[in-house]
Structures are given as C-alpha cells and as structure tokens.
Amino acid sequence: MEAKEQDVSLGANKFPERQPIGTAAQSQDEAKDYQEPPPAPLFEPSELTSWSFYRAGIAEFVATFLFLYITILTVMGVNRAPSKCASVGIQGIAWAFGGMIFALVYCTAGISGGHINPAVTFGLFLARKLSLTRALFYIVMQCLGAICGAGVVKGFEGKNLYGTYGGGANKVNDGYTKGDGLGAEIVGTFILVYTVFSATDAKRNARDSHVPILAPLPIGFAVFLVHLATIPITGTGINPARSLGAAIIFNKHDGWHEHWVFWVGPFIGAALAALYHVVVIRAIPFKSK
C-alpha cells in the first residue's frame, strides 16, 4: 500500500495537471514573456522594391477573382431557377460565399494574409497590422479581381440574361430603408472583421498552436452566417470589392443607386471591430511601455 502511494506521488510530480482554461489560462499567459509585435509603419517605400509585395497583390487579385466568379455564378443560378426549391436557394448562396472565403483564406493566408476584402484590409490597417502602401495596393488589386470575376460570369451568362437577373449586384431590397441596409452592413462587417482579428491574433497563436491552422474556418463560417441573416436585406455586401465588381459589370441604376451603402457600412463596421479588438480585447493603449 505504501509503495502504491509512492508511485502515485511520483506520477503526479512527473505528469503535472494540464494547462487550465478560462481566466486561469489568461493569467498564466500574461506571465509569459510575450512581446507585442511593433506596429507597421505608415509608409514603407522598401516594399515597392520587393517581389513578395507584388506577389501578395497578385494573390489578392486572383483570390478575389475566384471569389466573385463562384459566388456571382451561384447567385445567377438561383435567380434563373423557376423557384427557390429548384435551386440551392439562400442557404446555397450563403454556403458559396462562406465556403469560398474558407478555401481562399486557407490558400492565400501565407502569401498576402488572405484579406480578399477591402473592409478587412482597412480594419487591419487601422490596427497597424500593415502599411498604408500595402493596404492601398491590396484594395486596388481586390477591386480589379472582383471586376474581372464578375465580367467572366457575364460572359458565360450573356448580356441579356445577366441584366435580367440582376448580375449579383447589391441593393437595399424592398421593404427596407437605406438606414436598415447601412445598419446591416455595419453589423455584418463588424462580425466578419472581429472574427478575423480573433482568428489571427498573434498572442493567441503564441499560446495555442492550433489557432493559425483553424483560422480560415471561423472566418468562412462568419461570412456564411452573416449572409444567411442579411441576404433578405441587402443581398449581403460586407465586401466593397464584391459590391463594386458586380455593380460595374451590371451597370444599371439598381446597382449604383445605393452603392455608397456598401462602402460606408463595411468601412464603419471594420473600424469599429478594429477599435474593439485593440482597445477592449487587447487593451494595447493601456499597457505599460
């Protein structure tokens, strides 16, 4: 009996308890010597001479091109169907948007960060995660990719059918005001960008090795859920490049009349998410130097 108790004691010392979760884990983590990464410079001219800078921009172009191609084609298929039951419906559209973000973030995260959205880029810029030079370059490439992606869909569908079935362009739907649409875009983008910050947080990555591997999953799932909620209101923008690409190729009054909602709303939502993450979640302004 005495020998067994000794074995138990040795075993307890050899195999300590697992790391606690919740607030206990936070207190232990704060005790670690974690160094906050320095903020990105506002301007970084040296980036303009680096191939990795242009490679990242090309990756954003291709990813946004593929994103618009698959998603707008899905929207057109649903609109062309004689009934929602004869197509994938709203749930299928939401899965197309969320699934493509999941796949494309996974593919491009190691090259450009996998933004695929000017609102995400804007939020990360406000949090000083990338320079203004890179942010502007990303946004331009994302918009160009979106225009090309929507253009290919129009080429497949034909000018008449593409125009008849809306071209996947965003608008505030009947029964809702512009204020409703703006609010839906602000909240929807806040959810997306907040998820991006949480899934890619450097401090969480340092503590939990599984976080960077799983990052594309919650981001894609957030896009899916936001689409389920807001497709009936605005068709769901939460991505100014997606809205711009569809509007330019559709090029009718319905696509442009309320287009400002799909820039102002996402940028406000992204700014609020960046503020919440930096000030409340990470409390960076309150940390001692």
Side-chain angles (χ1 to χ4, degrees):
M1 192 68 173
E2 193 173 327
K4 286 184 178 180
E5 289 179 358
Q6 188 177 8
D7 289 342
V8 170
S9 177
L10 287 172
N13 292 330
K14 186 176 180 180
F15 302 103
E17 291 184 11
R18 293 189 177 190
Q19 183 180 357
I21 60 175
T23 54
Q26 284 186 337
S27 62
Q28 285 197 3
D29 183 67
E30 288 171 358
K32 294 180 181 178
D33 188 19
Y34 172 78
Q35 295 294 326
E36 194 72 42
L42 189 60
F43 295 101
E44 196 167 1
S46 61
E47 286 185 320
L48 300 176
T49 61
S50 169
W51 165 241
S52 63
F53 175 78
Y54 296 100
R55 181 184 64 177
I58 294 169
E60 288 292 311
F61 172 88
V62 172
T64 315
F65 167 83
L66 295 174
F67 178 61
L68 265 288
Y69 169 72
I70 293 295
T71 55
I72 298 300
L73 204 56
T74 304
V75 171
M76 293 298 296
V78 171
N79 290 343
R80 290 182 62 176
S83 69
K84 291 292 188 289
C85 294
S87 68
V88 295
I90 287 178
Q91 292 87 348
I93 294 173
W95 274 120
F97 278 89
M100 280 304 290
I101 287 297
F102 168 69
L104 293 169
V105 170
Y106 178 83
C107 292
T108 60
I111 303 170
S112 65
H115 297 189
I116 322 169
N117 185 337
V120 171
T121 300
F122 180 65
L124 293 171
F125 164 70
L126 292 181
R128 303 294 301 275
K129 302 294 185 183
L130 71 164
S131 67
L132 178 61
T133 313
R134 185 174 291 266
L136 291 175
F137 183 49
Y138 277 15
I139 290 173
V140 169
M141 296 301 281
Q142 290 158 358
C143 291
L144 290 175
I147 294 167
C148 292
V152 170
V153 174
K154 184 175 182 179
F156 286 168
E157 296 287 337
K159 183 177 180 180
N160 292 333
L161 282 176
Y162 191 84
T164 301
Y165 294 109
N170 289 118
K171 65 175 184 177
V172 179
N173 292 322
D174 295 337
Y176 296 96
T177 66
K178 293 179 183 178
D180 297 333
L182 183 64
E185 290 295 307
I186 290 172
V187 176
T189 311
F190 178 90
I191 293 169
L192 169 60
V193 178
Y194 174 41
T195 304
V196 170
F197 274 114
S198 298
T200 61
D201 191 333
K203 189 171 183 179
R204 291 187 66 196
N205 293 352
R207 185 180 70 228
D208 303 323
S209 60
H210 65 278
V211 169
I213 299 173
L214 296 178
L217 182 59
I219 296 171
F221 202 63
V223 171
F224 165 70
L225 292 174
V226 171
H227 274 76
L228 281 183
T230 59
I231 282 176
I233 304 173
T234 62
T236 310
I238 67 170
N239 184 333
R242 172 259 187 274
S243 300
L244 179 67
I248 286 177
I249 300 301
F250 181 56
N251 199 27
K252 292 187 177 180
H253 179 265
D254 283 350
W256 290 115
H257 179 55
E258 296 148 339
H259 184 68
W260 64 270
V261 169
F262 303 98
W263 282 86
V264 175
F267 273 49
I268 292 176
L272 291 174
L275 182 68
Y276 179 65
H277 177 78
V278 171
V279 176
V280 178
I281 301 300
R282 294 300 306 280
I284 290 175
F286 308 108
K287 291 181 179 178
S288 58
K289 301 295 183 181

